[in-house]
Amino acid sequence: MSLHAVDELDDAIDVTRGLLFPFDLWLWLKLALLTLFIGGGAGFPSYAFNFAQPSGTVDAGGIVDDGQLLLVVGVLVALAVGFFIVLGIVGAVMEFVFVEALVSGEVRIRRHFGEYWRRGLRLFGFRLAMTLPMLLVVLGVIVAFLFPVLLGGGFELGLILLLAAIPLVLVLAFVVGIINGFTSVFVVPVMLADDCGVLDGWRTLWPSITEETAEYIGFAVINYVIRLVTGTAATVVLGVTALVLLVPAGLVVFGVLAALPAAPGLLGVAAFVVVGAVYLAVLFAVWAVVLVPVESYHRYHALLVLGDLLPNYDLVADRRPDDEGGSGGASPEDESGGLDDDAGDGFDDDDDFGDAEDGFDDDGFGDGSPGPA
């Protein structure tokens, strides 16, 4: 008997096609925004900015003292940490918004963000609890490498400690990656259906993992392979597009500066802003075309496998192909997509933004105690 992860590869294509076609530009753009926050298969490259140091002597009056420098560094670090925390929280909430969009066929970012932000906070807390130990181990490895060097013990001792710790870091990274990955693709749908915390979601999933271990291992391997292939292809497409568009964008900016040299500073800034905005808009459009079907396919594949292994949590039963009793991939206009509104699962179209009843069933850690009022 073949694995469910193999059987659902073709069905995931049909269901993805049912969501995305006929083509709806507004739907694609909103899905592209969601994939941006949840971290799809590829991303825009990050750039390092090198600031050249001036040569020669510098007036001592223009140099800040150590206290001011530490203050500036501390503020910058605090801002960076705060930014990534906010980004992590928003990304965790968007996980639920994205799955709800795949289930119902409708993308309502503001409404569903207000509906699922509490569960998103729980998911963020769980991810943080999983990731922090690994970060501490990595920090410990770096300290273990630098400590002998700084004390004059020699580079060789630090290098030996570093090489000895690499297997531990790799094992931890693998375990944390599996846990976080299964949480995103399997536990989040369970949380969505049961309105429960992360640990309660894992308690629901865990018996299935122990009984169908080969199925989940097979899914992990197949998912890794197809993500590697699609992610690499998406990265290449985005990178090539960025480089190709960079040439005409640069020519336009330099052309404006050459044609109107009267006020080069002001015109240069204006041309850079306008061309940069158009450049980013085109890249985002390419992002939508490439990553929306890729990430939708991956999530649908996981939802189909989850429905095979846990029939009570088959959130896309109405979207399965006809030969499996579904609708053959419901389109966004179909009323059959999504969870049953009569089940009290939080998908009723009459819900207000930020329904006060959502998220108070437990404190997010699956122990059944009331959450904050």
Side-chain angles (χ1 to χ4, degrees), residues 7-29:
D7 296 336
E8 299 296 358
L9 288 173
D10 293 335
D11 292 341
I13 296 177
D14 296 333
V15 179
T16 303
R17 187 184 299 115
L19 173 72
L20 300 179
F21 297 99
F23 180 78
D24 184 342
L25 177 61
W26 187 234
L27 175 70
W28 279 61
L29 290 178

Side-chain angles (χ1 to χ4, degrees), residues 31-96:
L31 288 174
L33 181 62
L34 293 178
T35 60
L36 178 66
F37 279 105
I38 66 176
F44 291 112
S46 59
Y47 299 95
F49 296 90
N50 298 319
F51 297 92
Q53 295 182 351
S55 59
T57 60
V58 180
D59 184 10
I63 302 177
V64 297
D65 57 34
D66 293 339
Q68 292 175 325
L69 181 60
L70 290 176
L71 178 61
V72 171
V73 172
V75 170
L76 292 177
V77 170
L79 290 175
V81 172
F83 171 77
F84 283 108
I85 289 177
V86 172
L87 190 63
I89 293 174
V90 173
V93 180
M94 290 301 185
E95 292 279 358
F96 294 92

Side-chain angles (χ1 to χ4, degrees), residues 139-165:
L139 181 61
V141 170
I142 295 175
V143 172
F145 171 70
L146 294 177
F147 192 70
V149 177
L150 295 177
L151 292 183
F155 177 79
E156 293 79 5
L157 178 59
L159 183 61
I160 292 174
L161 293 175
L162 177 63
L163 294 177

Side-chain angles (χ1 to χ4, degrees), residues 269-311:
V269 171
F272 181 79
V273 170
V274 173
V275 174
V278 175
Y279 179 77
L280 293 178
V282 174
L283 284 184
F284 187 78
V286 175
W287 174 291
V289 172
V290 175
L291 290 187
V292 165
V294 168
E295 191 62 25
S296 299
Y297 171 81
H298 288 305
R299 292 305 179 94
Y300 269 134
H301 180 245
L303 288 171
L304 291 169
V305 172
L306 177 64
D308 292 335
L309 298 173
L310 290 175

Side-chain angles (χ1 to χ4, degrees), residues 333-345:
E333 292 79 7
D334 291 339
E335 296 179 356
S336 59
L339 298 176
D340 186 5
D341 290 340
D342 296 332
D345 48 37

